[in-house]
Amino acid sequence: MERCPEIADKLMPLDEAVRRFIFNGCQLAIGGFTVNRNPMAAAYEIIRQGIEDIHLVCHSNGQALDILIGAGCVKRLEIAYSGNGRFAPTCVRFKKAIEEGELEFEDYSNYQMALRFLAGALGIPFIPTKSGLGSDLIKYGGFSPEIREDEKVANLKYAVVGNPFSSEKDEILLLPALTPDVTILHAQYVGEDGTVQINGLTFADLEQAKAADTVIITCEEIVPRSFIRLDPDKNSLPSFFTDAIVKVPYGAHPTACFKFYDYDPAYLKLYRKMAEDDNLFKEYLDEWVYGMSSHEAYLSKVGTEMLLKIKANPALGYAQGLERK
Amino acid sequence: MERCPEIADKLMPLDEAVRRFIFNGCQLAIGGFTVNRNPMAAAYEIIRQGIEDIHLVCHSNGQALDILIGAGCVKRLEIAYSGNGRFAPTCVRFKKAIEEGELEFEDYSNYQMALRFLAGALGIPFIPTKSGLGSDLIKYGGFSPEIREDEKVANLKYAVVGNPFSSEKDEILLLPALTPDVTILHAQYVGEDGTVQINGLTFADLEQAKAADTVIITCEEIVPRSFIRLDPDKNSLPSFFTDAIVKVPYGAHPTACFKFYDYDPAYLKLYRKMAEDDNLFKEYLDEWVYGMSSHEAYLSKVGTEMLLKIKANPALGYAQGLERK
Amino acid sequence: MISYSDNEMMAIAAGRLINDGDVVFAGTGVAMLAATAAKRIYAPRAVVFFETGGIDPSLDEIPMAVGDSRVMSGTSLNSGLIEAFSTVGHRKLHTIAFLGAAQVDRYGNLNTTSIGNYYKPGKRFSGSGGACDASALASGIIIFMQHEKRRFVEKLDYLTSVGWYKGGNSRQELGLKRGGAIAVVTNLGVLRFHKETKEMYLREFFPRASVDMVVENTGFPIDVSGAKKTLPPLPEELKVLREEVDPQRLICQSDMNAPPG
Amino acid sequence: MISYSDNEMMAIAAGRLINDGDVVFAGTGVAMLAATAAKRIYAPRAVVFFETGGIDPSLDEIPMAVGDSRVMSGTSLNSGLIEAFSTVGHRKLHTIAFLGAAQVDRYGNLNTTSIGNYYKPGKRFSGSGGACDASALASGIIIFMQHEKRRFVEKLDYLTSVGWYKGGNSRQELGLKRGGAIAVVTNLGVLRFHKETKEMYLREFFPRASVDMVVENTGFPIDVSGAKKTLPPLPEELKVLREEVDPQRLICQSDMNAPPG
């Protein structure tokens, strides 16, 4: 780490980043989407450190969302979608937690959540949209009036207002901005100058990062300044938005990281099976999360054979011909 | 052009693109910023075709803005900034037109205009900001009530409203969206599949394009599908937003086109000098615009020597050591 | 006679509804088969894109989720959610969204949220995701369903996504200026909506199904008076589906996979 | 004694106001000299960026406009206006904007729009550009001016950009929760603002200027009671300015260039 004087105070091990920046009751946003680029290593570390009462604000964060809920770290949830594609049409621990009344939750849509992060990133208090008019997303607020007094919860789920720029009747929804305490993203590259580069789709990662007070980036590689500055049109975030940079190869496993590795279908199936049963899920957590001293130990347990199977063809970005049934 | 079946109906010569899509009285947005990537060849063609009564919506479009105003094509203007850096702290023909009362105009700021294009791109009727509170940008509307009845002009310049998500007094400006009839951008590359790639800063080009009914792209090169799809993270616009694609090398001259050529300081100085005097400006237009049958003829007149001087070093993106005093 | 799966019939029937030049917003599973098949067979100038931001990927392998890296590969452009949803709603594009649901009502409104009391539901699903947005903003939606009485209901337990709302002009009166439900494609047939009332009716039943099966499996009275039998999958349609769209047979060979619930 | 130009003195005086870690929003001309000099001399961890979207360019040659290709070269990131202005206003960053103006009043409010009647002005300038935005959203602004009576006025002809508005808490009461004018740097000295009243006062006069020159050239009464003479440019400051920041001497060698008006 001494090679990077520009980011010396931001480079740190994962356990330190979680210890310094994630706190009980924090409002947390995580990057990625369903089976892609979830900051899984960070999620595992949050569970290991026993962080509680998290207020999670999500669009479609599949795997990380589900395991954080399953491990009991989450108290409150604003969510658009909890599914993992074919591996779990509805995330299993999420589903159980809702059905058993264990979560404070409120439903939005993906665009609504993305727009709320955008509003936070732009520093504006709300943003309008037509999406949601007539739906039960508006009709049913999930949070109680007491919860709405929390400073990180908007006092209204939505406001419906007339468009002052229209001479005809034109109603529109206003969505309150989101400004998470912390956002965690998993990126492919961080430069020695602190520049973050995400390859492939960015989902709502950049809006989530810019909306947050604190940003933790886990990444596959720390790369030289000369590499990250070769084509700045491809870069995603300048250094001044990030507070912690952590090198964690395979840090998104079992979700995919475009150009580096694919999702791990066997692991996701195992997870789903164990998540279906409370006792099995405890075993799963003991075996795969609490029992692991580090992400390196976890990867050893995943095993070289699987890591090679899911290794992405860099020209395609995924593992061609991977057994996915 | 037969090599590009995917975009066969969009590829056309510049005069045809202007004839088909630019009309008297249209609301027009142009890409670029002050001395960079202004769609100058398109502006010259608009002047040659004698298009009138344009309603120009601009953030900081220096050179194209000034020549369109100078040639009498513009009737109405929404503007944040009219300057050309060191070459014209205030654009000369713009300045004269305002001082002589020849334009209907209204002032905004750069962020406000960019946000208005963003709102148009998002398909929302307005967007909030704090920028402008207390300023005369709010106090003085430029347009008369009659002009405000035009369907392309918002009925209000701004609305100041209370933030419904705040329990304290919190006033905020709402800015009306812009949805131009036509946006013209000059890009470095268009792929044979219609994908547009802009290199370097994108200013508000992408928001301007997505906000518009019709989009004309002039570009330096039409490139093979294999080239434009090599790294889709760098691309700027998919094909379905564009209506006309025109190959015009040096189509931004005398403004710069990152990685291709720099601005032309001699030309900009000549322009400024001639623009200062009404008669000289007429001569300028006759010589450099009306007198040119095409952009190729114009470039011949600029001359090989200057085109070589301003040729960008591709590693830097500009012409190193260019005489700019 | 060629054998084919329900998913294949559904993908083909839905694909036939796509017109050249449409911009198609695809989900996963059968929706993705249908979108891709449509482009390769019926509408070569259609563009397929995903809510995650991937536009026109090469789709050499079929993605298992809209967040799959396969939707980022060989694209025209990789962007994000904001760009994707503003594209769905873009006034100059004719955008068609393929969606699945746990429940649909006679006006094509959808539930992908929960069954029972919203606050403590008997069954919880994944939630809106992009469904509410696509339903509100696209030029039209095409819905994939398992044809079962508990899914075709008089009243949704939760209205996640607005189709024709309460019928007639009620969708427009909400402020949704375009869009609405074009069709529901099920394992039994294709249902459309009456022009004026916006009520669902049976337009086609699949060769292996019948009008009676549709009536029995629909939880509200349904007009079947004009229903016709669907043309079975053609050999060339199946060939494209199996050899180009889903060569690994991940979706083709099974029945409809992964409907919420 | 080393000779130096007004622009050099101004750039150095302004650069000395930048703290390490500041995120500096630079304009053109002297503002760009000051921002770049600050980073190379006083605040190596400061980041210079431009309203056009270029962040931390290498600036091997000095840009002539914020739209110059030189602000896109060797950057950390090339983005656009939306990203740049949302960065200016970002609550977690300490952002300082360098701005020029045609007129300033005692509260650091700026006019870059016009002189005379707004609708048919005696003199029209370029307009706000990003000045209104940076003044509203940044943690603070530093203003460059030619020190002339017609520019330091009792009342602006047009208030383009809000500094301390009407003084006291009036800026906060507008809803602008941070920011305000930090200093005005002129060819005569450095002016700051009183903590409570937010009225302008003379803090430093340059070695070639005097308190009297400031009073004579200011169009409103100004407190000069605590003014001290500025430390002249140090050899190492001039060396960096001339050899690293502006090796072509495009701005260093002249007096202040391109003030609006």
Side-chain angles (χ1 to χ4, degrees), chain C:
Chain C
M1 168 119 181
I2 316 165
S3 77
Y4 52 87
S5 70
D6 283 353
N7 277 359
E8 286 172 333
M9 182 71 254
M10 289 171 73
I12 288 164
R16 290 171 182 165
L17 298 170
I18 298 302
N19 294 308
D20 214 10
D22 284 352
V23 177
V24 183
F25 180 86
T28 46
V30 184
M32 203 169 312
L33 278 196
T36 315
K39 181 173 169 61
R40 303 212 187 205
I41 306 171
Y42 322 100
R45 300 168 64 89
V47 178
V48 177
F49 80 111
F50 296 88
E51 66 181 274
T52 40
I55 294 175
D56 195 29
S58 57
L59 297 178
D60 298 319
E61 291 190 6
I62 200 147
M64 300 295 252
V66 296
D68 195 312
S69 293
R70 287 157 189 79
V71 309
M72 319 179 185
S73 187
T75 54
S76 159
L77 195 72
N78 285 331
S79 59
L81 270 62
I82 295 287
E83 291 82 357
F85 285 108
S86 56
T87 296
V88 173
H90 202 286
R91 68 191 188 285
K92 77 185 271 184
L93 305 177
H94 193 254
T95 53
I96 305 295
F98 284 117
L99 301 173
Q103 291 181 327
V104 62
D105 70 13
R106 74 182 65 197
Y107 297 116
N109 303 302
L110 305 178
N111 174 13
T112 52
T113 302
S114 56
I115 300 289
N117 179 325
Y118 170 68
Y119 300 97
K120 197 160 187 292
K123 200 156 191 179
R124 171 70 204 203
F125 309 123
S126 52
S128 161
C132 168
D133 311 307
S135 302
L137 304 172
S139 306
I141 59 172
I142 294 174
I143 304 154
F144 289 98
M145 298 290 299
Q146 283 292 348
H147 213 133
E148 300 171 17
K149 236 183 176 116
R150 63 179 184 129
R151 295 177 183 279
F152 281 70
V153 296
E154 278 285 355
K155 185 165 168 28
L156 302 176
D157 286 61
Y158 186 97
L159 196 169
T160 315
S161 304
V162 172
W164 293 116
Y165 199 45
K166 297 174 180 174
N169 287 324
S170 61
R171 179 186 168 89
Q172 280 68 30
E173 283 163 9
L174 275 178
L176 302 175
K177 289 180 184 156
R178 70 174 193 181
I182 295 171
V184 183
V185 178
T186 80
N187 49 317
L188 301 180
V190 178
L191 304 107
R192 305 290 296 255
F193 296 85
H194 281 296
K195 273 220 172 105
E196 299 293 320
T197 64
K198 308 301 186 192
E199 276 190 87
M200 198 188 292
Y201 68 93
L202 182 66
R203 168 79 153 265
E204 305 172 18
F205 54 94
F206 290 153
R208 293 200 300 244
S210 68
V211 169
D212 284 352
M213 285 167 76
V214 170
V215 171
E216 277 163 31
N217 288 288
T218 302
F220 45 83
I222 185 149
D223 175 6
V224 296
S225 58
K228 288 180 183 149
K229 190 186 277 193
T230 303
L231 184 73
L234 303 172
E236 54 270 36
E237 289 173 327
L238 285 172
K239 185 168 153 43
V240 170
L241 260 191
R242 292 171 183 179
E243 293 178 15
E244 293 181 28
V245 176
D246 185 16
Q248 296 175 298
R249 310 294 308 277
L250 293 171
I251 297 167
C252 279
Q253 73 179 121
S254 58
D255 282 344
M256 186 174 173
N257 70 296

